[in-house]
Amino acid sequence: MFDLFATVVNGLEDVAASEVEALTGRPASVDVGKIFFSGDVESIFRVNYCSRTINRVVILLLRKSFGSGIGLDDIYSSASALDYASFITEGQSFAVRAKRSGKHNFTSMDVASEVGRAIIDSFRRDTGHRLRVDLENPDVEFLVLVRDGEFIMGINTTGEALHKRRYRVFSHPAALNTTIASAMLMISGWSFEEPLVDPMCGGGTIPIEAALMARGIPPGRFRGGDYAFFKLEFLDLEVFRRVADEALSRISSGVYPIYGLEVNPKYLDGALKNAESAGVGDTITLRVGDAMRLRDHLSFTPRYIVTNPPYGIRMRRGRMDRFYARFLRSLREVAEGSTLTLITAAKRGFLRAVEEVGLDILERRDLLYGDLRASIFKCRVR
């Protein structure tokens, strides 16, 4: 058994925790931007291969709180006390990636340097050998998080973040993070048999992620052997092959009531290419359509609307307000009683439009999307 944690988008920790609990059968606790849980080797592989809402899976080596007085000496002494011979061999290389948040008199690079020195000193003390550092392509990557007085250290089992699904052959200029798209679908409450529409689908991320969920296609299918755990010699890769084979055997076929509309033909063409690359081109329906005139494009009532509209960062307030009001009126004409789940950074403009048009806000959650503060709203259309 291992102590583990997963990094997630700030604001979606509870959604990710529920998913990990379903995948592992073990409880998960939430923290800022991460969740903690325990699991065996199979759990490490299963979450990496099947999870739709997390970024990385990390083996937890150390979690320690120093209050408000943490210093580089504390970081070095804590890291140097660990036994690294269980996780890295003499011929392997390593790197340290550190991220610091809060008020400190040191930088993230200082943290990485101290932890790296501690790893070298500890391993040489225990084995008599000096480990090799490789910042470009290490065999073992140690992740270090310092937030205020908390020091967390672990081994990255994932490699590149899982939100990079690898099926995208077309990159929309404002493409939605795939883990956020999946979390929005989960938040919406959508069941696979109910009609789902993204009326501003861009490069197709939301409909594609919905199709992958409906058919049970694991996101890991698109990564092949590109996981950090393939270089971790203490993990049994035969277990991974069993996990992957089992997940792939559960993939279903079929067409689902998943629809995407996009007003820009160029973006729609890109969405179609992405859907084909993801293997769900025959599963969903994507076509040109204007979200401001939904009555011209939909001959049915969509029960769930999940979308990522333009944020309007460069738009003036009045123009953004009118954009949202027009969209919500268009939606009300075709989707009375339906559920809308929407992400936006223009929160005030959206809230003013909601009040003007008359929707019920069922849920709001604020999240940090890169450096952008955005909110997900779940509303009832009436």
Side-chain angles (χ1 to χ4, degrees):
M1 295 292 291
F2 296 91
D3 291 324
L4 305 165
F5 72 92
T7 58
V8 303
V9 173
N10 288 32
L12 299 176
E13 295 90 350
D14 59 323
V15 180
S18 295
E19 184 190 29
V20 168
E21 288 177 348
L23 288 171
T24 65
R26 297 183 179 90
S29 60
V30 302
D31 195 11
V32 178
K34 48 191 166 303
I35 60 173
F36 291 89
F37 58 105
S38 61
D40 53 14
V41 174
E42 182 176 324
S43 298
I44 293 173
F45 295 143
R46 190 177 303 282
V47 177
N48 266 300
Y49 196 73
C50 298
S51 173
R52 305 178 191 277
T53 62
I54 70 166
N55 289 325
R56 289 183 174 89
V57 183
V58 186
I59 296 173
L60 180 64
L61 301 179
L62 177 66
R63 186 184 187 189
K64 195 171 183 180
S65 179
F66 293 90
S68 59
I70 188 172
L72 290 175
D73 288 344
D74 300 314
I75 290 172
Y76 174 84
S77 62
S78 299
S80 63
L82 296 177
D83 174 18
Y84 297 98
S86 300
F87 305 105
I88 185 170
T89 63
E90 298 170 6
Q92 289 187 301
S93 62
F94 81 96
V96 178
R97 318 292 188 200
K99 183 177 180 180
R100 179 199 62 82
S101 60
K103 294 183 178 180
H104 308 95
N105 61 357
F106 51 81
T107 67
S108 297
M109 291 183 63
D110 294 330
V111 174
S113 177
E114 286 299 300
V115 172
R117 187 166 66 90
I119 293 171
I120 289 173
D121 291 349
S122 175
F123 193 85
R124 183 164 50 189
R125 180 193 65 221
D126 294 340
T127 68
H129 293 272
R130 178 185 173 90
L131 286 173
R132 178 169 52 89
V133 175
D134 184 344
L135 298 180
E136 298 299 323
N137 187 30
D139 296 312
V140 181
E141 182 179 80
F142 294 92
L143 295 186
V144 177
L145 305 176
V146 176
R147 182 167 61 89
D148 298 324
E150 186 178 46
F151 174 46
I152 297 174
M153 182 174 172
I155 296 174
N156 180 9
T157 71
T158 302
E160 189 176 42
L162 293 172
H163 71 80
K164 298 183 179 181
R165 294 285 201 252
R166 310 285 179 85
Y167 61 70
R168 278 180 175 160
V169 292
F170 168 77
S171 182
H172 187 277
L176 182 64
N177 181 309
T178 59
T179 57
I180 296 178
S182 294
M184 289 175 65
L185 289 162
M186 295 175 187
I187 291 167
S188 75
W190 171 62
S191 60
F192 305 152
E193 298 78 17
E194 295 279 3
L196 169 77
V197 173
D198 179 356
M200 292 173 270
C201 73
T205 299
I206 290 173
I208 291 170
E209 290 296 315
L212 297 177
M213 291 173 63
R215 293 183 53 186
I217 299 175
R221 180 184 188 182
F222 307 106
R223 286 181 72 103
D226 189 15
Y227 285 100
F229 58 66
F230 276 98
K231 295 182 179 181
L232 299 180
E233 297 183 4
F234 60 93
L235 298 180
D236 184 358
L237 293 180
E238 283 300 319
V239 178
F240 168 70
R241 295 183 182 94
R242 291 199 299 270
V243 167
D245 288 345
E246 177 189 347
L248 294 173
S249 71
R250 293 198 299 267
I251 295 175
S252 65
S253 59
V255 178
Y256 290 84
I258 302 170
Y259 303 85
L261 300 178
E262 174 51 47
V263 70
N264 187 321
K266 174 184 174 182
Y267 294 159
L268 181 71
D269 181 66
L272 290 167
K273 290 177 180 176
N274 285 340
E276 288 296 329
S277 176
V280 296
D282 59 349
T283 305
I284 58 182
T285 302
L286 302 175
R287 59 176 180 256
V288 172
D290 187 351
M292 306 304 166
R293 301 181 61 84
L294 290 174
R295 66 180 180 276
D296 295 340
H297 306 292
L298 299 181
S299 59
F300 60 92
T301 299
R303 303 313 306 171
Y304 293 89
I305 303 93
V306 182
T307 193
N308 170 39
Y311 288 172
I313 294 174
R314 296 178 179 85
M315 289 185 186
R316 289 176 294 184
R317 168 180 161 177
R319 186 179 174 191
M320 201 68 234
D321 289 6
R322 289 193 295 274
F323 171 85
Y324 280 123
R326 285 184 62 203
F327 167 58
L328 294 181
R329 289 195 183 96
S330 172
L331 187 61
R332 195 169 62 177
E333 290 179 350
V334 299
E336 183 177 351
S338 298
T339 300
L340 166 67
T341 304
L342 175 147
I343 182 171
T344 179
K347 293 163 275 192
R348 293 180 181 177
F350 178 72
L351 288 171
R352 284 190 290 266
V354 165
E355 184 176 358
E356 178 183 339
V357 177
L359 271 67
D360 298 320
I361 296 179
L362 307 177
E363 181 181 344
R364 170 181 173 171
R365 59 174 69 220
D366 299 324
L367 58 148
L368 190 61
Y369 182 11
D371 295 327
L372 188 66
R373 296 191 178 278
S375 295
I376 294 173
F377 292 93
K378 180 178 178 181
C379 306
R380 181 74 64 196
V381 181
R382 58 180 173 86

